[in-house]
Amino acid sequence: MRESIFLIGAGNVGYHLGRHLVDRGCRVTGVFSRSIEKAQALSELTGIPHCHTFNEIDPTADLYLLAVSDAAIAPAARSLYQMGIRDKLLAHTSGATPSSVLRPYSTRYGVFYPLQTFSRERVLDFSKIPLCIQANGKEDEALLFHLGERLSEAVYRIDDQQRAVLHVAAVFVNNFTNHLFQAGWDILERESLSFDLLRPLIEETAAKVLAYRPSDMQTGPAVRGDQATVDRHLEYLQEQPQLQELYRLLTRHINPDLEV
Ligand SMILES: NC(=O)c1ccc[n+]([C@@H]2O[C@H](COP(=O)([O-])OP(=O)(O)OC[C@H]3O[C@@H](n4cnc5c(N)ncnc54)[C@H](OP(=O)(O)O)[C@@H]3O)[C@@H](O)[C@H]2O)c1
């Protein structure tokens, strides 16, 4: 793919996308970031030229990838529009925001959503990350699809409605589970016990859900209907009412017959 790409945003997603686009030989002609440090970090690693004000953005790129916070997608697209970038393909990287937020700012718009959790400090194998692609025109959809194939073996055409649903499911399997891991961490920390004790359990839980239907692998007092153990856990959590409430809610959801 010889089209030139301009990256807007050098946060968690922008950083990883920028690195992998360059690794895969794509032509990234610049990165815009409000934060100088983040743009510099990406620039030093990849050689992508960086800028910090919208009027420094190269108006001749073929594709503008908007890897900015969801609330900033429309304002960033508006800034490009105000600079006269109007007939270029704009694509954002969000699971939660419809592609139509870009419609007022270009005749050509789409989505390039990598379905993974990104943190700058983590090295990722991009080739395994599902890329959810969408565009309002067939040619642009093909362009984004081919770009996706440069990065990943798993590229899918996913429309706004499907992506919104995927995002809800992703919040359950990633954001909520991560929050629950932190709850486990906090409980052990209060008792001066090491989180290392839980690491093998976390690994086996993840390994099982990759191989089986999660509900078939459910263990623990709730699914066993073990009221006495559930009561003891609730008693232990009395001093942490928010965690106790969360425990009740999840227990009830696993087994509505228990008294919680
Ligand atoms: N992180 C994930 O796991 C993940 C996964 C898939 C998709 N996404 C999506 O990818 C997008 C970026 O997420 P992220 O995790 O990379 O977020 P992030 O790390 O918080 O980075 C957000 C970027 O947006 C910039 N930004 C925020 N407000 C702006 C504004 N008003 N004008 C210009 N730039 C602005 C930030 O600049 P500063 O650094 O200067 O604040 C930063 O470069 C979001 O739509 C998100 O939903 C995230």
Side-chain angles (χ1 to χ4, degrees):
M1 171 181 164
R2 290 321 300 155
E3 282 82 1
S4 59
I5 302 162
F6 200 99
L7 187 58
I8 312 285
N12 290 312
V13 171
Y15 173 82
H16 282 284
L17 256 184
R19 286 191 68 172
H20 284 88
L21 285 167
V22 170
D23 275 358
R24 303 300 301 148
C26 300
R27 200 150 64 91
V28 185
T29 55
V31 57
F32 161 88
S33 170
R34 286 189 313 189
S35 136
I36 295 180
E37 299 76 37
K38 285 184 190 166
Q40 264 171 353
L42 181 58
S43 203
E44 275 164 24
L45 271 172
T46 58
I48 304 173
H50 60 90
C51 65
H52 315 287
T53 59
F54 272 95
N55 50 22
E56 290 174 275
I57 291 175
D58 169 17
T60 67
D62 299 304
L63 164 64
Y64 292 83
L65 269 182
L66 285 84
V68 293
S69 319
D70 289 67
I73 294 171
R78 189 181 311 121
S79 299
L80 295 177
Y81 180 84
Q82 285 164 349
M83 286 175 53
I85 298 172
R86 296 181 182 183
D87 55 350
K88 299 297 178 67
L89 177 55
L90 309 182
H92 72 63
T93 61
S94 168
T97 299
S99 59
S100 53
V101 298
L102 297 172
R103 193 185 300 144
Y105 311 112
S106 179
T107 50
R108 299 167 56 206
Y109 57 90
V111 177
F112 195 83
Y113 168 52
L115 209 178
Q116 183 51 281
T117 171
F118 292 90
S119 300
R120 291 160 64 90
E121 41 280 279
R122 294 283 302 168
V123 175
L124 286 170
D125 178 0
F126 225 95
S127 68
K128 304 288 178 227
I129 297 177
L131 287 174
C132 305
I133 301 301
Q134 175 188 7
N136 69 326
K138 286 276 168 242
E139 278 181 24
D140 287 334
E141 189 179 79
L143 188 154
L144 291 179
F145 202 90
H146 292 317
L147 177 63
E149 285 181 322
R150 295 289 291 266
L151 302 182
S152 171
E153 296 158 9
V155 188
Y156 301 89
R157 287 186 172 81
I158 298 283
D159 65 25
D160 274 339
Q161 208 179 340
Q162 293 169 319
R163 205 176 58 260
V165 171
L166 269 173
H167 194 250
V168 173
V171 165
F172 273 95
V173 305
N174 172 246
N175 302 160
F176 290 165
T177 52
N178 191 65
H179 185 73
L180 294 176
F181 291 144
Q182 184 60 45
W185 178 295
D186 292 342
I187 287 168
L188 294 191
E189 199 170 45
R190 275 169 69 100
E191 309 291 348
S192 302
L193 287 163
S194 166
F195 191 67
D196 285 349
L197 289 161
L198 292 184
R199 289 186 201 278
L201 176 62
I202 292 169
E203 277 173 3
E204 178 60 7
T205 306
K208 282 202 295 188
V209 300
L210 293 179
Y212 301 94
R213 184 185 169 93
S215 60
D216 291 342
M217 294 294 113
Q218 189 72 45
T219 59
V223 77
R224 285 197 299 270
D226 181 350
Q227 184 75 54
T229 300
V230 167
D231 289 345
R232 273 197 299 277
H233 288 177
L234 288 171
E235 196 185 333
Y236 172 78
L237 292 170
Q238 247 166 9
E239 285 172 19
Q240 300 168 77
Q242 286 182 331
L243 264 192
Q244 192 191 47
E245 189 46 36
L246 194 55
Y247 187 103
R248 279 189 212 283
L249 194 68
L250 291 172
T251 299
R252 209 179 292 130
H253 204 268
I254 295 169
N255 188 345
D257 295 334
L258 282 168
E259 285 176 27
V260 287

